[in-house]
Amino acid sequence: MKTIRFQLVILASAIASTTLAQTQKYPTQLLGHEFQIESIIKGMTLEEKISMLHGKNMFSSAGVPRLGIADIEYADGPFGIREEMEPHSWNSAHLTTDSATFFPTGSALAATWSTDWAYAYGRGMSKEARLRGKDMILGPAINIQRIPTGGRTYEYLSEDPLLSGQLAVAYTKGAQEDGTAVCLKHYALNNQEDYRGTVDVQISDRAMHEIYLRPFEMAVREADAWGVMAAYNKVNGRWCSENEQLLNTILRQQWGFPGMVISDWGGVHSTVDAVSAGMNVEMPGNRFFGQALLDSVKAGKVSEDIINQRVREILRVRLTVKPIDKAVANSKPVGNDEEMLTALEVARRSIVLLKNTPISGKHALKAAKKQPWPLLPINLTEVKSIAVIGENAVTKMALGGVGAGVKTRKEITPLEGLQAVLGGGKKITYAPGYKSFDRDSRNKRQSPQQPADKQLMNEAVKVAKGADLVIFFAGDNREVETEGSDRKTITLPSGQDELALALAKANPRMVTVIVSGGPVDISTVDAVSPALVVSWFNGSMGGLALAEVLNGNIAPSGKLPMSWPKKLEDVPAYATGTYPQKADNSQGDIFVGLVNQGQNARAARASFQPVAKYAEESLVGYRWYDCKNVEVAYPFGHGLSYATFQYSNLKVTPTLDGFDVSFTLANNTQFEAEEVAQVYVSRPTSNIDRPVKELKGFSRVTLHGGESKSVTIPLRRADLCHWDEAAGAWMLEVGDCDVLVGGSSGELPLRGRVTIQ
């Protein structure tokens, strides 16, 4: 790869001023009612103020009816509006009007690398929230994917802070411009589910700001997020719900956040410390912010000025978000065509083609006997019969496991999608092949890692032998990947590796589709599958989108938002021995305990509190694999297409806000396709420890067959800075800066160098 030296010098003062980097902020709507708020507070009793600071029902907190202040209604969760619950329990209210669109989950949205579709996603969520009478969406979930086994990896976006941050900004703008507040979660460093209610995350300030807080900072400062949810865990010795550094120093003072902070459900641990540190609403009960808080004010332990400030921050959100009359809420159907179309478009762009190796010889179909030919897109002329193998072809993913789910009006499975797209012209035969891990298995404390079911495997092999093409649906489901616990392994469950070997022996013309929210060990299926696809937990329309891609109606364009390791031991948290923690296995999850015991039950306070020391510091995901020269199965940003793309003509131009990276992108095939162009920056002469390279910009580009386009991706000054611990501020280092451009972190054909001084 040739490095082009650009004869330009970018002045550090022109790119990044520390003062500017700390004070520039998206204009907020929350400060438009300050005089009205002061008047309201003066007219409130202390008891009315306290009543606003804790849950009223399972998903609401109180207003002040006497003063015309409506309750705040919360919508769980980040990928679809949860069904209505009974007021004081986790039991369904059994309404007929509370279905919703199941949007692709977080990792699927991130695989689009599209801010436009993240905006549409947030807007669609808001529209459905409004129809359901909700004021605040408990999302987006934007914690960094530190471990692939994390129970909520499927909810989160990426291992990279820039990708996570830009998508969070777009989602936030889409929702709030439509009228619904977001609640960014989980603030902060909730990167594991095991022991999340007790674990103490220990991390340096630099790694915390550059990696784990950066998406939250972007959403607050660049999109004016109105709500933030405090996480369950501790950070550097203090619970997030009473962490002065996180809630006051960073969130409110450094970032200028004027909105409200709510606790994760059951996540408050104190009265005086929590309210003083910046917590606004204890959810869902009133153990600490009810009578205990009232008594603390009367005893002089908490000043009424602090109570007034917490109420003021809530009222800013309440007066900005128009309340929905309870008689109107849930009176119209939800999950309508517009939102379903958004879910479909996101799903189409999320599907990742990992591999599409041409095959020839005795195992190939007629067209590929002499000339190698890939299995995808499906050759509709020669493929007359298709064997669809695997329970994930028919398993619905809107519900399952612990935590948020969606009672959706529609979920098209992959088998249904293939039947709809291929029509009656193809013979499609389904065999389950394996029995998926289910709730009954979980209740019996069984492991997903069960051996293959011989009878089901033999039946599937028989079906595969007689088909022109095998599509094997492997991966996880929502019982394997679930809130409240982390996976113990990334090995495919239910004996799927054994089944894959048997299927490939019976018919080597096999496409494997991985249905999961995060990485799995694909070493076995990769070795026996000429084509490999990742389809995620892809929402109401996911099966249709997948069929369109396999069929060739749409070229695949998704890119991995996280690295896929070859083995779990390579993951930095595992390699450094900081995860999993050696803890008391009898310790239950804080949220699961709350669900089982009811709204006002005391959450278990385990005496054992494990420590998660983030020894890898900033080297998360691809940063670690680059620095340690660890080979991965597929790199961050990877994703193939039916088209091939050529990058050329790199140019770098300074701007007032950083510099523009321009290049020519050409589609050298007949397919219309979309490519996600990615820009990474390396600092080869840096005087501080840095990763080999870091993502600093990206753009999704649509190209017709044979078309070339000039593409410009801006690199912003705020994204070129590092966190200086001594100064407690973002700083820009002078020196050489290598700019690398291509289609993934592992394929960067263009390279240029500029100088910052």
Side-chain angles (χ1 to χ4, degrees):
M1 179 169 57
K2 181 180 179 182
T3 300
I4 303 172
R5 177 77 192 202
F6 292 96
Q7 298 300 315
L8 65 104
V9 173
I10 303 172
L11 298 179
S13 59
I15 289 189
S17 155
T18 301
T19 302
L20 273 177
Q22 289 185 325
T23 60
Q24 284 181 330
K25 190 177 184 299
Y26 193 78
T28 181
Q29 295 184 46
L30 292 183
L31 300 181
H33 308 278
E34 294 300 280
F35 290 113
Q36 183 182 359
I37 289 171
E38 289 304 315
S39 176
I40 292 170
I41 291 174
K42 288 178 181 178
M44 294 174 68
T45 67
L46 177 60
E47 287 75 12
E48 287 172 332
K49 295 172 187 177
I50 298 296
S51 72
M52 294 185 70
L53 305 187
H54 58 77
K56 177 181 179 180
N57 294 324
M58 191 59 71
F59 286 100
S60 69
S61 56
V64 186
R66 181 178 66 83
L67 299 177
I69 307 300
D71 298 346
I72 294 182
E73 304 289 341
Y74 303 101
D76 194 26
F79 53 87
I81 310 303
R82 187 177 190 152
E83 68 179 308
E84 297 300 316
M85 316 296 287
E86 293 178 353
H88 302 293
S89 80
W90 295 93
N91 298 325
S92 170
H94 300 295
L95 302 184
T96 59
T97 55
D98 61 346
S99 298
T101 300
F102 169 26
F103 288 90
T105 63
S107 55
L109 173 62
T112 70
W113 290 58
S114 172
T115 54
D116 289 341
W117 285 107
Y119 179 92
Y121 188 116
R123 184 173 180 271
M125 286 284 294
S126 172
K127 285 188 171 299
E128 300 209 340
R130 297 271 82 192
L131 287 171
R132 294 277 303 282
K134 308 303 181 184
D135 303 302
M136 177 177 283
I137 297 167
L138 301 181
I142 59 176
N143 292 103
I144 293 295
Q145 296 164 336
R146 181 181 183 238
I147 54 173
T149 50
R152 298 181 96 164
T153 293
Y154 74 93
E155 275 195 29
Y156 297 148
L157 297 172
S158 174
E159 70 185 30
D160 183 81
L162 182 82
L163 178 57
S164 295
Q166 290 202 11
L167 296 175
V169 166
Y171 180 123
T172 297
K173 288 182 177 179
Q176 293 189 168
E177 289 176 10
D178 187 71
T180 311
V182 303
C183 185
L184 307 176
K185 67 182 191 183
H186 308 87
Y187 184 73
L189 292 110
N190 182 180
N191 307 112
Q192 64 183 72
E193 292 297 287
D194 284 355
Y195 315 115
R196 60 177 173 166
T198 54
V199 69
D200 182 8
V201 174
Q202 296 183 0
I203 187 171
S204 70
D205 273 357
R206 184 182 172 200
M208 181 169 68
H209 279 274
E210 289 186 4
I211 303 295
Y212 297 97
L213 296 189
R214 184 65 180 140
F216 290 93
E217 180 182 10
M218 292 172 69
V220 168
R221 293 165 62 86
E222 299 174 29
D224 186 30
W226 298 338
V228 170
M229 179 186 289
Y232 283 128
N233 51 282
K234 289 182 177 181
V235 173
N236 293 331
R238 295 301 302 268
W239 299 109
C240 289
S241 59
E242 56 191 58
N243 194 303
E244 179 75 20
Q245 181 191 23
L246 288 177
L247 298 184
N248 270 340
T249 303
I250 295 174
L251 180 63
R252 296 198 187 278
Q253 295 172 18
Q254 291 181 1
W255 300 349
F257 176 70
M260 58 184 284
V261 177
I262 70 171
S263 75
D264 208 335
W265 269 230
V268 175
H269 296 261
S270 66
T271 298
V272 176
D273 288 350
V275 76
S276 300
M279 176 62 64
N280 294 93
V281 180
E282 175 191 9
M283 289 298 295
N286 60 359
R287 179 185 175 195
F288 294 102
F289 277 23
Q291 187 64 45
L293 182 55
L294 182 61
D295 292 343
S296 296
V297 176
K298 291 180 177 179
K301 295 179 181 180
V302 176
S303 75
E304 193 163 353
D305 286 344
I306 288 178
I307 301 300
N308 289 343
Q309 182 61 20
R310 298 291 88 88
V311 170
R312 180 179 295 110
E313 290 153 354
I314 296 170
L315 287 173
R316 286 170 179 164
V317 177
R318 176 66 283 173
L319 297 185
T320 300
V321 177
K322 182 181 179 181
I324 303 296
D325 191 299
K326 285 181 170 57
V328 175
N330 291 299
S331 63
K332 296 181 179 179
V334 183
N336 297 311
D337 289 347
E338 182 180 357
E339 287 69 58
M340 287 289 179
L341 180 59
T342 296
L344 174 61
E345 295 288 5
V346 170
R348 284 168 169 167
R349 288 163 177 81
S350 74
I351 294 165
V352 180
L353 179 61
L354 293 179
K355 173 185 178 182
N356 197 22
T357 305
I359 61 172
S360 61
K362 66 178 182 178
H363 297 306
L365 292 171
K366 183 177 179 181
K369 291 292 185 185
K370 297 181 180 179
Q371 180 179 353
W373 198 265
L375 293 180
L376 295 177
I378 297 170
N379 187 323
L380 298 177
T381 301
E382 297 197 10
V383 172
K384 305 298 183 183
S385 60
I386 299 174
V388 174
I389 309 297
E391 269 203 9
N392 273 352
V394 298
T395 301
K396 296 188 176 183
M397 302 295 179
L399 296 170
V402 176
V406 186
K407 186 173 79 174
T408 185
R409 292 173 65 188
K410 179 193 298 184
E411 183 178 350
I412 299 174
T413 66
L415 179 60
E416 291 169 340
L418 286 166
Q419 291 168 334
V421 169
L422 296 177
K426 307 297 176 188
K427 180 183 178 183
I428 299 175
T429 305
Y430 167 70
Y434 56 84
K435 184 181 185 302
S436 292
F437 184 75
D438 57 19
R439 178 157 296 186
D440 184 58
S441 299
R442 175 176 296 282
N443 291 339
K444 292 179 181 178
R445 296 187 178 274
Q446 294 177 351
S447 167
Q449 305 308 318
Q450 301 295 323
D453 184 304
K454 298 299 183 182
Q455 180 178 345
L456 292 178
M457 183 170 70
N458 292 337
E459 292 170 356
V461 166
K462 183 178 179 180
V463 171
K465 281 182 178 178
D468 294 330
L469 180 69
V470 176
I471 305 178
F472 173 43
F473 286 86
D476 297 329
N477 60 23
R478 293 282 308 284
E479 293 294 339
V480 177
E481 298 186 45
T482 175
E483 179 180 351
S485 62
D486 298 328
R487 285 181 286 159
K488 307 311 175 192
T489 176
I490 55 173
T491 303
L492 288 171
S494 306
Q496 291 176 19
D497 282 340
E498 185 180 352
L499 175 59
L501 292 172
L503 291 173
K505 185 176 180 180
N507 189 338
R509 298 184 299 276
M510 184 167 76
V511 176
T512 295
V513 178
I514 300 295
V515 180
S516 70
V520 293
D521 183 343
I522 54 175
S523 54
T524 298
V525 294
D526 197 358
V528 298
S529 306
L532 196 58
V533 177
V534 182
S535 71
W536 314 107
F537 298 149
N538 226 345
S540 287
M541 307 298 285
L544 178 59
L546 176 65
E548 291 175 331
V549 168
L550 298 179
N551 190 43
N553 292 357
I554 297 171
S557 61
K559 301 280 187 173
L560 291 179
M562 75 289 282
S563 309
W564 279 46
K566 283 198 165 184
K567 57 184 185 298
L568 199 53
E569 293 78 12
D570 293 337
V571 174
Y574 287 83
T576 58
T578 60
Y579 183 90
Q581 294 84 32
K582 295 179 180 179
D584 178 3
N585 290 328
S586 66
Q587 180 180 317
D589 179 71
I590 183 171
F591 177 73
V592 174
L594 184 69
V595 171
N596 291 338
Q597 298 174 48
Q599 174 179 342
N600 292 307
R602 290 185 59 173
R605 311 290 165 184
S607 59
F608 183 84
Q609 297 184 352
V611 171
K613 184 173 177 59
Y614 284 26
E616 74 276 16
E617 294 289 344
S618 299
L619 300 182
V620 181
Y622 69 91
R623 292 166 168 81
W624 174 270
Y625 303 124
D626 283 350
C627 286
K628 304 300 180 180
N629 293 313
V630 175
E631 186 178 358
V632 295
Y634 290 97
F636 174 76
H638 173 78
L640 304 177
S641 174
Y642 299 148
T644 57
F645 302 100
Q646 182 178 356
Y647 290 78
S648 61
N649 302 326
L650 177 64
K651 295 180 181 179
V652 183
T653 307
T655 67
L656 291 175
D657 193 41
F659 49 87
D660 285 344
V661 177
S662 301
F663 51 92
T664 301
L665 183 62
N667 178 353
N668 294 330
T669 60
Q670 78 277 16
F671 289 100
E672 178 176 327
E674 297 182 14
E675 166 72 335
V676 178
Q678 302 162 40
V679 180
Y680 295 79
V681 167
S682 177
R683 300 298 300 269
T685 61
S686 177
N687 292 316
I688 60 176
D689 289 335
R690 291 182 183 269
V692 173
K693 62 180 180 290
E694 296 182 280
L695 180 72
K696 295 301 178 185
F698 58 91
S699 179
R700 176 172 277 271
V701 183
T702 303
L703 293 169
H704 297 293
E707 183 182 9
S708 296
K709 279 185 180 179
S710 178
V711 179
T712 298
I713 299 177
L715 272 60
R716 310 178 308 170
R717 56 188 171 191
D719 298 321
L720 296 170
C721 295
H722 68 277
W723 184 259
D724 187 297
E725 290 187 340
W730 292 104
M731 294 292 189
L732 182 68
E733 185 185 27
V734 300
D736 289 338
C737 184
D738 285 349
V739 178
L740 302 92
V741 181
S744 86
S745 67
E747 185 66 30
L748 299 166
L750 302 184
R751 187 183 190 110
R753 177 168 290 183
V754 297
T755 301
I756 299 171
Q757 69 179 35

